Amino acid sequence: MADFFLFINEILWGSILIYLLVGTGLWFTWRCGFVQFRYLTKLRSLIMSKNEADPSGISSFQALCTSLAARVGSGNLSGVALALTLGGPGAIFWMWVVAMLGMATSFVECSLAQLYKTRDDEGNYRGGPAWYMERGLGMRWMGVMFSIFLMIAFGLIFNAVQANSIANAVNIAFGIPKTWIGIGLVVLTAGVIWGGMRGTARISQWLVPFMALIWVLMSLVVMAINIERLPDVVSLVFKSAFGWKEAASGALGFTISQAITNGFQRGMFSNEAGMGSSPNAAAAASAWPPHPASQGLVQMFGVFIDTIIICSATAGIILFSGILDTPNPNMNGIALVQQALSSVVGSWGAGFIAFIVMLFAFTSIIANYAYAENNLMFLQQKSPFATVLFRCLALVMVMFGTLSPLPLVWQMADVAMAFMAVTNLTAILLLSPVAHELSNDYLRQLRLGVTPVFDPNRFPEIKSQLAPGIWDTPKPPETKR
């Protein structure tokens, strides 16, 4: 079974997705005026502002933390370890590349999600790729197809991946049988997924900053202890990234193709840019400034935090520990991260990693499920039976993940991710003119020194596609102080 998924992955990633990801990122980087480089300093002002007049959505900070809860998971730990063991140290360089390009892609997909959002029966904002496929492109069939892919990927398979990482880490650190770990995880997950997007947002806004901070601090400690390795590590990363012969000495024999493929796969699994997942959180926010592009900017920073900061912290722990100097083919995934940290700080490092994995992966499970249920609503499956059935399936996959071999689970995740990404990237490329209009309108108002406000009357063609009452009454611009 693992060989079958590996074959499918080689076709999808080797022949389609790598080129589509790079091309889309480059296109939107140019089309949106290099937005990811020009507005890196705007994050604090965007997430600290609150739109108290609009109770229909969650805050920008909650939306960012919710998307980070889904992004920051086992991909930031075991995913980085897999990238380094399969693609070499250079894989982290290509993770950085796909992240910087992906920031522009994320800006576009999340801006579109805000633009085409709707209200549900309870008055809460809902939206995402399925909604902009239906309203922006007039292709509900495409939205249905994407929703099914997302429900399979995020509601089922990705949660198995996260559960797999938790089970491996806790089993290695404390010797607890995986069956009991799975049962405990199912009980905890069941207790949370009944809270919906707002419940996930409330948990995420506290847990995500805490877990990210302590992980980055730990990586800085490891680097400080082994600071003499800094020149060698930097040299190794860049030499390996470009397949230079000097980087392939000893046991480290990696090609540039391996570095790029594994860096892109693991980078995308981690930051999810272009996959169409984070737009589900972006659409649930009450945007402030009241413009779709403001949420695009907020979520764009999620890619930076996830990959450039947190994934780099994991890579730093592994590379500075020197554990890859004598690679062990039986040591991969989360076990490699535990071994790397323990070799530097002592035996308690394995337990610390288990704690971090539980935080990272559990928040991912609950955010992933919130995304999946959001798309269940798009399919108009509002019956209690359909919701309960899907929740039960999600819990079954959590248990499956704790007991399944690592390669099979990751191969399944890569296939699901590829189908989602191809569908979503096709949609946002077709909506490129709309994204260009949103970006220009927002940046034009910034240059004029006013608070950006989206007025649909300036865009008659776009206005006809919007849900009634969402953007109909823009507030008057306010001069910046």
Side-chain angles (χ1 to χ4, degrees), residues 3 32 64 96 158-159 189 213 236-237 260 295 307 313 319 342 365-366 436 455 468:
D3 290 340
C32 297
L64 176 61
W96 296 335
F158 283 9
N159 282 345
T189 304
L213 178 62
L236 184 62
V237 166
I260 293 174
Q295 275 306 299
T307 306
L319 295 174
S342 297
I365 287 173
I366 60 176
H436 181 60
D455 182 359

Side-chain angles (χ1 to χ4, degrees), residues 51 111-117 287-295 433-446 450-467 469-478:
N51 188 4
S111 298
L112 291 171
Q114 260 288 313
L115 178 68
Y116 291 109
K117 67 186 180 183
W288 189 263
H291 195 289
S294 66
Q295 275 306 299
V434 176
H436 181 60
E437 293 280 8
L438 290 178
S439 175
N440 279 353
D441 185 56
Y442 187 89
L443 301 180
R444 175 186 61 81
Q445 293 182 64
L446 280 183
V450 300
T451 299
V453 173
F454 178 67
D455 182 359
N457 294 313
R458 296 188 67 247
F459 309 98
E461 291 185 8
I462 296 177
K463 182 179 180 180
S464 65
Q465 301 170 340
L466 304 181
I470 301 295
W471 301 102
D472 284 353
T473 54
K475 298 177 182 179
E478 298 176 3

